[in-house]
Amino acid sequence: MKNTDPHGVDAETRTVFRADCPSRPILDQIADKWSMMVMALLERPTRFNELKRGLEGVTQRVLTQTLRRLERNGMIQRTVLPTSLVGVEYLLTPLGESLR
């Protein structure tokens, strides 16, 4: 007789999401509430302060970390604007758009 868990799934062939599973970073990214809200706001190129105003309750530090992680994972593109004051815009990449 097979060893099954309470849901009737064969315990020996059951899927295990190991710590080095490639799906984990993506799941971590899309499970983060701020990431999904940022991506929802990026319908067009948007500056940092505009994003911050659109996300009530987010701190500057958390927004910066979220944007860096989204950029690192290829979901958004960061563009430095050629203005006298340093300006930066964020926009979705095709990968980010497909996730949104």
Side-chain angles (χ1 to χ4, degrees):
M1 184 163 165
K2 284 191 172 187
N3 182 16
T4 59
D5 70 8
H7 303 289
V9 176
D10 182 357
E12 293 176 20
T13 60
R14 188 172 157 164
T15 302
V16 175
F17 290 99
R18 297 169 34 107
D20 61 349
C21 178
S23 66
R24 284 220 178 166
I26 300 302
L27 292 172
D28 288 343
Q29 182 74 66
I30 62 175
D32 175 56
K33 71 176 181 178
W34 295 117
S35 294
M36 296 312 294
M37 286 189 238
V38 165
M39 292 174 66
L41 290 176
L42 288 174
E43 294 178 356
R44 58 180 172 70
T46 309
R47 295 181 85 155
F48 182 90
N49 284 327
E50 188 177 351
L51 287 169
K52 188 162 179 350
R53 284 190 300 273
L55 296 168
E56 189 173 305
V58 71
T59 64
Q60 183 167 337
R61 179 176 177 262
V62 168
L63 181 55
T64 299
Q65 289 172 340
T66 300
L67 290 167
R68 285 179 182 163
R69 190 172 54 251
L70 286 167
E71 183 182 15
R72 186 175 53 247
N73 290 334
M75 303 293 179
I76 65 171
Q77 177 182 333
R78 178 181 184 267
T79 305
V80 178
L81 303 173
T83 58
S84 58
L85 296 173
V86 177
V88 177
E89 282 184 338
Y90 299 91
L91 66 132
L92 287 175
T93 63
L95 178 62
E97 188 65 48
S98 70
L99 179 61
R100 189 172 79 119

